[in-house]
Amino acid sequence: MVTSPLSTVLFDLDGTLLDTAPDFIRCLNQLREQLGAPPLAPEVIRPAVSSGARAMIQVGFGLTPDDRDYAARHAAFLDLYEAGVAEETRLFPGMGDVLDWLEQHRIPWGIVTNKPVRFTTPLLAGLALGSRCASVVCPDHVEQRKPHPESLYLACQQMGVDGRQGLYVGDHLRDIEAGRSAGMTTVAARYGYVDGADQVESWHADHVVDSAPELTALLDHLHTP
């Protein structure tokens, strides 16, 4: 567990820092419309967002990578997403206050995501976040993506901080596993894209928060300069 003061806070991106689901839902239903299929309800797609395009293609079309049409649907979906990566995406409610708190306390924050650079860079630019975060690590930058801790180690190295005094916040079991393996204090974001069948407590994160304001309160509690 972290002892004060905090050295850094690292965030997963989709479902933790940003509510990217509206753009994914729009693009998946746009592709379904192009193929003559009716739209899916947002609540059907939303839980799959943190598991990436593969999971969304399975939800949207019942296809896996072994299926004949999978590669074409996957590529078309990602092209649609790239063309409108920041149209409806926003910070989760209260997350702007979390970032303001970190910057006011001079605590560097970063992003460690399994989202490729192709989408992450324009997304952060579109939301004016790229210049604010001290590190952005995507799978393009490492040999092993989460749940391996390599990307978290790299982010801490880039910021020049001791990760053992930092937090990693995520909405998926792999985030908690990566943070734990990196020796960081872990925070499960239950407000994110958590599948209804998942029991977040079973992830054994050090803390669980149900909203960004709860995260601010946790930071206040943990950080004693």
Side-chain angles (χ1 to χ4, degrees):
M1 294 285 289
V2 67
T3 57
S4 58
L6 293 172
S7 64
T8 185
V9 175
L10 299 177
F11 299 94
D12 173 52
L13 192 58
D14 300 87
T16 301
L17 184 66
L18 297 180
D19 185 5
T20 55
D23 281 318
F24 280 118
I25 292 166
R26 174 181 52 79
C27 292
L28 189 61
N29 277 330
Q30 185 177 347
L31 183 57
R32 283 177 59 85
E33 181 181 8
Q34 291 176 2
L35 295 168
L40 294 174
E43 57 268 23
V44 173
I45 303 171
R46 188 178 178 88
V49 171
S50 274
S51 296
R54 178 182 299 184
M56 285 181 275
I57 294 299
Q58 185 164 10
V59 168
F61 303 100
L63 299 174
T64 69
D66 293 330
D67 293 316
R68 184 185 61 182
D69 294 332
Y70 173 85
R73 302 280 173 87
H74 185 270
F77 174 61
L78 292 183
D79 286 344
L80 286 171
Y81 181 63
E82 185 175 23
V85 72
E87 288 188 15
E88 299 179 61
T89 291
R90 299 291 183 269
L91 288 165
F92 274 100
M95 191 56 73
D97 293 333
V98 173
L99 300 184
D100 289 343
W101 187 96
L102 291 168
E103 290 166 359
Q104 289 165 7
H105 287 80
R106 300 182 182 278
I107 298 172
W109 62 272
I111 295 166
V112 175
T113 177
N114 278 352
K115 195 186 199 79
V117 169
R118 170 187 173 188
F119 311 109
T120 299
T121 298
L123 175 57
L124 296 179
L127 296 175
L129 292 173
S131 61
R132 294 179 63 182
C133 53
S135 175
V136 179
V137 178
C138 300
D140 315 63
H141 302 133
V142 293
E143 292 185 5
Q144 301 186 77
R145 62 174 61 199
K146 296 181 296 182
H148 193 279
E150 181 186 359
S151 51
L152 279 74
Y153 289 142
L154 178 58
C156 292
Q157 180 184 8
Q158 290 176 347
M159 293 187 288
V161 300
D162 183 353
R164 294 170 298 179
Q165 294 298 114
L167 268 63
Y168 186 49
V169 189
D171 71 318
H172 196 282
L173 173 59
R174 67 168 169 264
D175 299 319
I176 305 308
E177 291 175 340
R180 187 184 301 118
S181 295
M184 302 185 74
T185 295
T186 56
V187 181
R190 189 156 45 195
Y191 59 82
Y193 306 142
V194 178
D195 189 292
D198 281 347
Q199 296 295 321
V200 173
E201 288 76 11
S202 70
W203 301 353
H204 302 298
D206 296 303
H207 305 277
V208 178
V209 295
D210 289 303
S211 66
E214 284 189 21
L215 180 57
T216 302
L218 176 63
L219 295 174
D220 261 326
H221 174 71
L222 294 176
H223 183 67
T224 306

